[in-house]
Amino acid sequence: MAQAKRPRLSSNGSDASSLPLFCGFELTEKKVISLPASLGPVSAVSAWPTGKAGNFTAGSTADKHAVFAVGTSHGCIALVYSDESTVVLENSGSSAVLQLLAKDSSAPASAISDAKPVPDVVAGDADGQVLVYVLGRVFSRNTLPAPISTLSADLNPNMPSSFSVGDMSGTIASCHAQDTLWRAQLDMGSQALPVVPGGADQRAAARLLDPTVNSACSVWLSDNHGLLTSYVLAASAQGFIQLLSRGIPVHTIPLSTPCTSVCPGVFVASDISRELPGSSYTQAIVGDGSGQLLVLDNFELVPYAQVEYPIARIFSLPLRAFFGHDGPDVVVCATLSDTIYVLHQRKIVATYSAAFWPSAVDIVADFPGIGPAIVLVESEALTGKSSSSSLHIISLRPLLDG
């Protein structure tokens, strides 16, 4: 735990005197990386270095390479580099890859060559297997009861190599490459599930019975004494989010609509310093199937914004990735459509409509020659059983006032 001044939300979510004057972002497709057809249709992507939730450092792209881990419905896992070269990882080709996480390498420095960087890759598949790759080779395997539905890095600086994983049975676990730290089952406990009104369609009723862990992330929250403590925030398809500490539920918030994605960061004005350990993750943004965005701060949800389409994934980029100093994070919101939203301080500041519905989305902190960017995966069926996939790199350029 770290001592910190308790963060407070401002009434309007901004401090105009301390933030750069910009009116939005220009989103432009800058590059398309075509992937070998032999990989199969891409179902998951994870960029490294990520730059998510305050992890951005100027010049952080190792050896001027951005690396994308891609997984396919054929079970293949590969690393794709910004120079368009591709390396298939060993033991690929089993069950469909549903989730991927690219992380800083945990290999000893003596084992890392001076060639292209090889991040650790965590892959979750349709059989419930969690595979950890180190230097491109399978390092460990773990198995959950059901298909993997979410993977996220643990942002606790005391546990840099750990990650959270959830499945479609409601199991949530904290793991590292060697072992499982804890495992729990998401449960509302004595709190009643939201009531489905008479006449509501059967799909809505069935959704309340779906135990899937839709999303999870690590977040630091401050208590009444100003102490920052690390929690895992998990969202259930049954219509609630839950904060867990070492596998023990400590706070549950029922929702009117099931949450589809959570993301840590700092999204509205706060008086906490980012220089403190974990202070880049003192809030979380929550998105649901109605297009509503909420911010979790001090164990409470406050409104953030509303978009037109159901939310699929939420990402954050720190403001200093664009302007060199801190402020509320920039939010990138992928939807169940061809539309991507960019938001800042509770406002939609840009939209981008792709020519296709992305099969997977991520962000990259510093694509060589482009800077912060969104990665959209296009998968297209060809003749017979073959398919073609490509990565579309969309630049994020701030538009300054005046």
Side-chain angles (χ1 to χ4, degrees):
M1 295 187 292
Q3 184 72 36
K5 189 176 180 181
R6 182 175 172 83
R8 298 178 184 274
L9 297 181
S10 69
S11 58
N12 61 6
S14 66
D15 181 356
S17 64
S18 63
L19 297 179
L21 297 176
F22 74 101
C23 56
F25 287 87
E26 180 181 60
L27 277 65
T28 307
E29 182 175 282
K30 292 291 189 178
K31 187 180 181 70
V32 178
I33 301 176
S34 297
L35 304 181
S38 58
L39 295 179
V42 172
S43 51
V45 65
S46 181
W48 179 88
T50 65
K52 297 184 182 74
N55 275 347
F56 178 82
T57 302
S60 62
T61 306
D63 299 326
K64 298 301 179 183
H65 282 289
V67 187
F68 306 100
V70 297
T72 73
S73 58
H74 295 169
C76 184
I77 302 169
L79 296 178
V80 181
Y81 292 85
S82 50
D83 63 3
E84 304 192 30
S85 59
T86 302
V87 176
V88 177
L89 303 187
E90 75 167 15
N91 205 40
S92 294
S94 53
S95 185
V97 178
L98 302 181
Q99 299 289 329
L100 279 178
L101 176 63
K103 303 165 68 268
D104 290 347
S105 178
S106 60
S110 59
I112 301 175
S113 70
D114 293 329
K116 293 177 180 178
V118 180
D120 287 359
V121 177
V122 184
D125 68 21
D127 289 335
Q129 282 197 106
V130 180
L131 283 77
V132 178
Y133 291 83
V134 177
L135 296 179
R137 298 180 179 275
V138 175
F139 182 80
S140 67
R141 300 173 187 266
N142 201 342
T143 303
L144 267 64
I148 304 303
S149 54
T150 184
L151 275 173
S152 62
D154 190 335
L155 302 178
N156 187 338
N158 299 317
M159 305 172 67
S161 64
S162 61
F163 56 90
S164 298
V165 55
D167 72 6
M168 293 183 181
S169 74
T171 300
I172 181 78
S174 179
C175 308
H176 55 68
Q178 292 83 12
D179 200 2
T180 298
L181 301 174
W182 54 259
R183 183 181 293 197
Q185 191 75 20
L186 288 192
D187 189 355
M188 285 283 284
S190 60
Q191 300 188 52
L193 288 170
V195 176
V196 180
D201 62 43
Q202 292 183 349
R203 287 186 302 171
R207 188 163 55 241
L208 299 180
L209 302 176
D210 182 359
T212 297
V213 182
N214 280 341
S215 186
C217 72
S218 173
V219 64
W220 286 67
L221 296 179
S222 175
D223 64 18
N224 291 327
H225 303 288
L227 294 175
L228 286 176
T229 303
S230 177
Y231 299 93
V232 170
L233 173 64
S236 171
Q238 290 182 325
F240 65 92
I241 57 175
Q242 193 162 71
L243 287 159
L244 302 100
S245 176
R246 299 181 181 180
I248 300 173
V250 297
H251 189 56
T252 302
I253 304 176
L255 303 172
S256 59
T257 304
C259 171
T260 53
S261 183
V262 295
C263 176
V266 176
F267 303 101
V268 290
S270 170
D271 60 7
I272 196 166
S273 168
R274 282 184 187 260
E275 298 303 317
L276 293 167
S279 60
S280 293
Y281 325 110
T282 55
Q283 297 168 353
I285 195 161
V286 175
D288 65 26
S290 71
Q292 180 179 214
L293 291 162
L294 305 165
V295 169
L296 176 71
D297 180 85
N298 292 335
F299 300 93
E300 296 180 354
L301 290 174
V302 296
Y304 184 81
Q306 178 76 42
V307 299
E308 184 177 356
Y309 300 104
I311 293 166
R313 289 287 304 277
I314 308 173
F315 309 94
S316 68
L317 277 167
L319 198 65
R320 68 177 176 271
F322 305 95
F323 296 105
H325 61 82
D326 288 329
D329 291 341
V330 174
V331 177
V332 176
C333 183
T335 65
L336 296 178
S337 72
D338 60 357
T339 302
I340 305 293
Y341 294 93
V342 181
L343 304 96
H344 187 245
Q345 297 198 109
R346 295 188 169 102
K347 296 180 180 179
I348 298 173
V349 293
T351 60
Y352 181 83
S353 295
F356 54 92
W357 280 36
S359 59
V361 181
D362 204 352
I363 58 172
V364 59
D366 187 13
F367 193 96
I370 294 177
I374 304 170
V375 185
L376 306 180
V377 176
E378 179 183 15
S379 291
E380 180 182 5
L382 301 177
T383 57
K385 296 184 179 180
S386 64
S387 63
S388 173
S389 294
S390 55
L391 306 180
H392 295 250
I393 312 301
I394 314 299
S395 67
L396 276 163
R397 186 176 72 87
L399 300 174
L400 301 180
D401 281 343

